[in-house]
Amino acid sequence: MKITMTNGQPTIDAHDLGPLLGLPPAAVPEKMRSGDITSRFEAGDGTDAGRFRLSFYHAGKRLRLTCAADGTVISTTHVPVGK
């Protein structure tokens, strides 16, 4: 799986993201538009310069994708988040 960068903005295919969130790919775009899925992009610095992280939040869980400079996902973590 690779993340594509366009004009400094990351893009992940819904067919890759959906299963990671336990959703059918077709549900991902609408859930992102409605705010049911939120995301955060972080660029690495120091020893992590060139790498980046994408975090997705949905249904009380966080999915974090750590990526190499070329967009290749090098690690994936799932953790519960909430109140």
Side-chain angles (χ1 to χ4, degrees):
M1 171 177 20
K2 273 189 127 172
I3 308 303
T4 305
M5 295 295 285
T6 306
N7 296 326
Q9 297 297 312
T11 303
I12 183 171
D13 192 285
H15 286 93
D16 292 328
L17 183 58
L20 293 172
L21 295 173
L23 297 169
V28 171
E30 177 55 35
K31 288 192 174 289
M32 290 191 89
R33 281 191 292 274
S34 71
D36 287 339
I37 298 172
T38 59
S39 62
R40 180 177 178 167
F41 170 75
E42 300 168 273
D45 59 6
T47 59
D48 291 320
R51 292 185 179 190
F52 61 92
R53 270 193 319 216
L54 287 173
S55 299
F56 295 92
Y57 301 87
H58 172 68
K61 297 177 186 165
R62 181 191 73 207
L63 164 68
R64 178 173 284 162
L65 306 174
T66 302
C67 305
D70 69 354
T72 301
V73 176
I74 54 178
S75 73
T76 303
T77 59
H78 293 87
V79 295
V81 293
K83 298 175 185 176

